[in-house]
Amino acid sequence: MCIRDRLEARSIIEEVNTSLGNEAPCPVPVGALIEVPSAVLILDSIAEVSDFLAVGTNDLIQYILAVGRLNEEVSDLYNPLHPAVLKSLQKVVMAGMEYKRPVFVCGEMAAHPVFSAVLVGLGFQNLSMNAVAIPQIKKTLSCFEFSELRDLASRLITAYRLADIRNLVEEAFGKPGINGMSGMNGVEI
């Protein structure tokens, strides 16, 4: 994302609102979709000039890990709980908090019970998903106190080995009420 483009978009919206005068709609929030590693690296600059931040997890994970999730030859390396992914997501939440910007998550990660729990633990409060995923996500999240999810996310952030991450997730999701989830629902960590 180019900051100049963001500022130009804001200027165009303001011009249109000015030209409409009293007929102008409510102010239009202009946000940023964080889906490439370069955006994570300049989050402060982006958050400063945005009304909200949204994370496109499908692309962000793919680009951080340099793994095409749809490429069968390497898709097994696509891992939403990879330490680099978790640290990047944490940076987005922190930027949102620092600049008092709402932060949204869209993408397949938000619709997966385990991953949504980790996202909530990281501090995300807005998850976008297909409506059919909502009951399972609601059921999963209701099995935890927020402090438990925050602790899990904190422990995952400090883990560097994928085996440690797998163990932490299996430990957390072996709780009564979630046993029927069969672990990662086909996602390999």
Side-chain angles (χ1 to χ4, degrees):
M1 170 191 196
C2 180
I3 303 299
R4 181 188 70 231
D5 294 341
R6 165 60 185 78
L7 294 172
E8 187 176 328
R10 166 75 73 187
S11 176
I12 292 169
I13 290 170
E14 288 173 3
E15 279 180 39
V16 170
N17 276 342
T18 300
S19 71
L20 292 173
N22 290 338
E23 296 177 25
C26 298
V28 177
V30 179
L33 182 59
I34 309 300
E35 51 185 1
V36 293
S38 59
V40 174
L41 294 173
I42 61 167
L43 269 169
D44 286 338
S45 299
I46 293 172
E48 187 175 356
V49 298
S50 299
D51 297 317
F52 64 89
L53 301 171
V55 180
T57 58
N58 296 347
D59 287 336
L60 184 62
I61 295 165
Q62 178 172 293
Y63 295 131
I64 286 173
L65 300 178
V67 173
R69 70 184 191 277
L70 302 177
N71 180 336
E72 292 179 20
E73 293 183 33
V74 294
S75 62
D76 61 320
L77 300 173
Y78 182 90
N79 184 346
L81 298 183
H82 187 283
V85 173
L86 294 176
K87 288 181 186 310
S88 296
L89 292 170
Q90 181 184 45
K91 287 177 188 265
V92 176
V93 170
M94 302 287 278
M97 290 166 65
E98 181 179 345
Y99 289 90
K100 296 178 177 43
R101 306 293 191 251
V103 183
F104 302 86
V105 174
C106 56
E108 294 171 23
M109 190 173 181
H112 187 284
V114 171
F115 302 151
S116 65
V118 172
L119 290 167
V120 169
L122 286 170
F124 287 98
Q125 296 178 352
N126 302 289
L127 306 178
S128 174
M129 66 194 73
N130 189 308
V132 298
I134 293 173
Q136 181 63 51
I137 300 305
K138 185 176 177 181
K139 177 182 175 188
T140 299
L141 295 177
S142 70
C143 293
F144 292 93
E145 295 292 326
F146 176 69
S147 60
E148 292 175 291
L149 296 178
R150 191 175 53 232
D151 180 60
L152 173 61
S154 176
R155 292 169 63 201
L156 289 170
I157 285 286
T158 60
Y160 286 95
R161 295 182 22 209
L162 293 178
D164 295 337
I165 291 171
R166 183 182 306 108
N167 291 338
L168 287 168
V169 168
E170 288 174 357
E171 175 185 312
F173 289 89
K175 294 178 70 166
I178 302 185
N179 288 336
M181 280 183 31
S182 70
M184 296 299 299
N185 287 348
V187 176
E188 187 61 37
I189 295 181

